[in-house]
Amino acid sequence: MAQLAGDSLVQSMKDDKVIKAIAARSACMDGKGHAGLADPYKAMDQGVTNDGKPSQESIALAIDDIDCKKQTDLVKIWFDAESAIQDKQIANNKTQLTGIKAQRGKEITAARKETAAYAQ
């Protein structure tokens, strides 16, 4: 299942609409003084401090990143592209996914019985 999720992310990053939206977001970030952040994931790595507290720079970067994502509609475009890929994955792997769902249901039922037994 994790493999499918990873595959859908990688495939969505190759989608023309996603590529254009990422480029537009990058240009927006450049315009706000944050050059070199073409990869949206890179923005999350900036301004991280050793004490875990955000710096003023990282707060400003985060606000600008959110603004650029809104302006370019990146989140919706990327979500739509990845969702379409995942819908195909679900259709192509229905039997396997149904089996996993059934197994997880059995595991949850067994865990609830164990928890109830200890609670008494």
Side-chain angles (χ1 to χ4, degrees):
M1 231 164 47
Q3 179 68 35
L4 291 176
D7 288 348
S8 67
L9 175 62
V10 170
Q11 288 179 38
S12 71
M13 293 173 83
K14 296 174 185 174
D15 182 274
D16 288 341
K17 290 179 184 176
V18 173
I19 291 169
K20 288 177 184 173
I22 289 174
R25 180 212 152 268
S26 178
C28 177
M29 291 295 283
D30 284 350
K32 292 180 180 286
H34 306 288
L37 294 176
D39 180 345
Y41 292 108
K42 295 284 185 198
M44 294 185 285
D45 295 336
Q46 302 297 314
V48 176
T49 60
N50 290 335
D51 63 7
K53 295 179 183 175
S55 66
Q56 290 300 321
E57 179 184 309
S58 67
I59 292 170
L61 175 68
I63 291 169
D64 289 344
D65 187 36
I66 291 167
D67 186 48
C68 287
K69 285 176 180 171
K70 285 181 180 178
Q71 285 182 34
T72 61
D73 209 18
L74 174 61
V75 175
K76 182 179 181 336
I77 291 167
W78 204 337
F79 174 83
D80 289 347
E82 192 167 1
S83 292
I85 293 164
Q86 289 172 348
D87 287 344
K88 289 177 187 173
Q89 288 174 322
I90 291 167
N92 293 339
N93 296 281
K94 187 110 178 150
T95 302
Q96 178 188 4
L97 293 171
T98 300
I100 292 170
K101 181 180 177 182
Q103 181 59 36
R104 295 278 161 80
K106 290 176 187 176
E107 292 168 359
I108 291 170
T109 299
R112 286 185 178 145
K113 285 181 184 177
E114 288 293 318
T115 302
Y118 284 112
Q120 294 177 351

